[in-house]
Amino acid sequence: MSKKYLNNSWYCGAWATEVTTGLFHRVIAGQDILFFRDKAGEPTALSNFCPHRSAPLHLGKLLDDKIECPYHGLQYGLDGKCVHNPHHPEGEPQKSACLQQFPIVEQHDLLWIWMGDPDLADSAAIPDFSCHTDKSMAKVFGVIEMKAYYELITDNLLDLTHASYVHEGVLGSEGIINGEQEVISDGTTIYVNRWCPDHLAPPAWDKAFGDYGKPMDHWLYMRWDAPAHMLLDVGVTPTGKTRQEGLWVYGTDILTPQDETTTHYFWAITYNKGIDNPEVAKMWEHTIDFAFGGQDKPMIEAQQKMINLRGGVDIEDLESIWLDTDSGPKRARLMLKKLMAKKSAIPEPKNPGLRECMEESDKAKDKSERIIPAV
Ligand code: FES
Ligand SMILES: [Fe+2]
């Protein structure tokens, strides 16, 4: 079965630091994209194949803001138009040779690329990841390639009960299993909030909180925007205490499909405790490497293989059962389907201010006062 990608949407193309004045490419939603920065440092995104004989341009050269094809030397400008044909006696450009140019925006340390009608590209539709550039916080970040269809990874992130099995003894706890889950839609944004009060914290959190050893309140609040841009507000605090008295981080989980069975998983942990301590950064990096790379990735990739063997790409291609804990994944899948069904539909993230969320989240002890307004 063939899946479609959401058209008219921003996708995360790269971390800002991945793209320099060298030629870099990444396949996004089935299209190979060439990324680079011009002399002024501005990012550019063009199709990565030469229209002459389809040579991949990232193997070529960047000469004074012109890309030279590695095969027969046609040169293209920043707007994708051919500017020089070395085989013409006067070097006149081949007018019919033109690369597709994609709108690109650098925001919150990420490069966002618009896949769709360029006239509809509006940077206001990029979800808020401003925690990445908050001076009072630090972050560790990276990209993991997962050999899985991206909605399988969305399922994983919107049903965090898996932590108690896949991440047993690390990020899992009885409190998570017993927690209350609330799924809230606000326009095209979906929140999946899991509130787990007064239980021993997951071992990794307990350790990070100085081997506390006593019951804590644990929250895992995930925000989702189409097609798969997620931000997790997660932390622990001694039972009944405020967020500031505990330990919390933002977890970035942005999934960009490469093709139907491969996903670029852009992750980050943004934290406000120990921001100048390299040991703290190392600890978070190690946790992600261990949990996402060593535990989630093998599970999801194995799941993909089982689905492939049964002739599908996604879980929806097979007869599958759904549990109550799938309410988040189900809601997100439904929203994505709705947006895909309308060709011109564009996700409209609500983007509540993160600062505001942090303050409001202190009230999270009381279920009636959630950080996210119910609609
Ligand atoms: S393939 Fe690019 S110039 Fe021939
Ligand atoms: Fe996980």
Side-chain angles (χ1 to χ4, degrees):
M1 158 163 187
S2 179
K3 294 276 178 188
K4 282 189 209 144
Y5 307 109
L6 180 61
N7 197 23
N8 290 327
S9 177
W10 292 101
Y11 286 83
C12 178
W15 284 103
T17 50
E18 289 186 285
V19 175
T20 63
T21 48
L23 297 174
F24 172 85
H25 81 118
R26 183 164 273 149
V27 177
I28 294 174
Q31 298 193 60
D32 201 339
I33 311 289
L34 179 72
F35 293 96
F36 60 92
R37 288 183 189 273
D38 63 18
K39 286 189 292 187
E42 292 302 317
T44 298
L46 300 168
S47 50
N48 188 31
F49 68 92
C50 177
H52 175 225
R53 286 293 177 273
S54 291
L57 293 166
H58 72 275
L59 299 177
K61 288 181 193 148
L62 187 55
L63 307 164
D64 198 22
D65 282 353
K66 292 189 282 290
I67 304 126
E68 184 179 85
C69 176
Y71 205 174
H72 311 97
L74 284 179
Q75 290 185 358
Y76 301 90
L78 296 175
D79 58 1
K81 289 184 184 143
C82 180
V83 290
H84 179 67
N85 174 5
H87 311 291
H88 183 279
E90 276 87 49
E92 255 180 44
Q94 178 73 23
K95 286 209 172 61
S96 55
C98 196
L99 312 177
Q100 187 179 350
Q101 188 183 27
F102 295 84
I104 185 167
V105 171
E106 183 162 1
Q107 185 165 292
H108 306 147
D109 286 349
L110 293 162
L111 292 179
W112 295 90
I113 176 168
W114 177 260
M115 307 296 278
D117 179 350
D119 290 340
L120 299 177
D122 176 359
S123 61
I126 298 175
D128 180 9
F129 288 92
S130 55
C131 56
H132 293 168
T133 46
D134 185 326
K135 295 269 184 293
S136 69
M137 304 184 88
K139 74 174 183 304
V140 292
F141 63 98
V143 197
I144 300 173
E145 186 180 281
M146 284 208 188
K147 299 229 169 293
Y149 180 62
Y150 73 104
E151 282 200 273
L152 298 179
I153 312 172
T154 302
D155 289 349
N156 169 283
L157 292 160
L158 294 186
D159 173 13
L160 293 172
T161 58
H162 80 267
S164 298
Y165 301 93
V166 177
H167 310 300
E168 189 185 6
V170 186
L171 295 172
S173 73
E174 204 187 309
I176 293 179
I177 298 288
N178 293 332
E180 288 172 46
Q181 182 162 292
E182 196 173 31
V183 180
I184 301 164
S185 297
D186 189 0
T188 60
T189 301
I190 293 170
Y191 301 92
V192 184
N193 296 340
R194 185 159 273 270
W195 171 238
C196 319
D198 202 18
H199 275 80
L200 288 178
W205 280 102
D206 191 78
K207 187 170 169 18
F209 200 63
D211 292 315
Y212 186 65
K214 287 182 275 189
M216 301 187 98
D217 293 338
H218 184 27
W219 68 95
L220 307 100
Y221 293 172
M222 186 70 94
R223 184 193 76 197
W224 174 94
D225 283 293
H229 308 321
M230 284 161 274
L231 184 70
L232 179 67
D233 167 357
V234 56
V236 291
T237 194
T239 300
K241 300 288 184 190
T242 63
R243 164 194 285 255
Q244 274 70 20
E245 293 166 273
L247 179 67
W248 55 271
V249 303
Y250 286 118
T252 298
D253 302 288
I254 302 175
L255 310 175
T256 298
Q258 170 172 314
D259 54 34
E260 287 186 332
T261 53
T262 311
T263 300
H264 308 293
Y265 182 166
F266 296 90
W267 65 265
I269 296 288
T270 309
Y271 53 96
N272 72 342
K273 289 221 164 77
I275 61 172
D276 297 320
N277 184 347
E279 291 306 312
V280 173
K282 251 190 239 161
M283 183 276 289
W284 285 119
E285 264 169 353
H286 172 76
T287 304
I288 295 303
D289 191 44
F290 182 81
F292 292 12
Q295 295 181 318
D296 286 314
K297 179 176 153 80
M299 172 59 71
I300 296 168
E301 291 184 346
Q303 179 193 10
Q304 182 71 65
K305 280 187 192 157
M306 299 309 283
I307 293 169
N308 292 350
L309 275 174
R310 293 158 70 202
V313 167
D314 184 27
I315 205 80
E316 288 186 50
D317 302 334
L318 311 174
E319 262 183 45
S320 308
I321 59 157
W322 297 82
L323 304 177
D324 287 350
T325 47
D326 292 314
S327 53
K330 229 177 174 174
R331 188 85 68 95
R333 281 172 175 274
L334 203 63
M335 178 58 71
L336 194 50
K337 269 202 193 106
K338 271 192 199 162
L339 289 166
M340 281 182 174
K342 292 189 205 159
K343 288 213 161 56
S344 61
I346 298 172
E348 291 176 7
K350 286 294 171 186
N351 286 338
L354 288 173
R355 210 31 93 176
E356 195 183 313
C357 288
M358 280 155 53
E359 283 159 15
E360 289 298 309
S361 184
D362 280 344
K363 299 172 185 165
K365 307 296 165 295
D366 179 347
K367 187 174 173 288
S368 64
E369 290 183 272
R370 292 294 181 154
I371 60 165
I372 306 303
V375 288

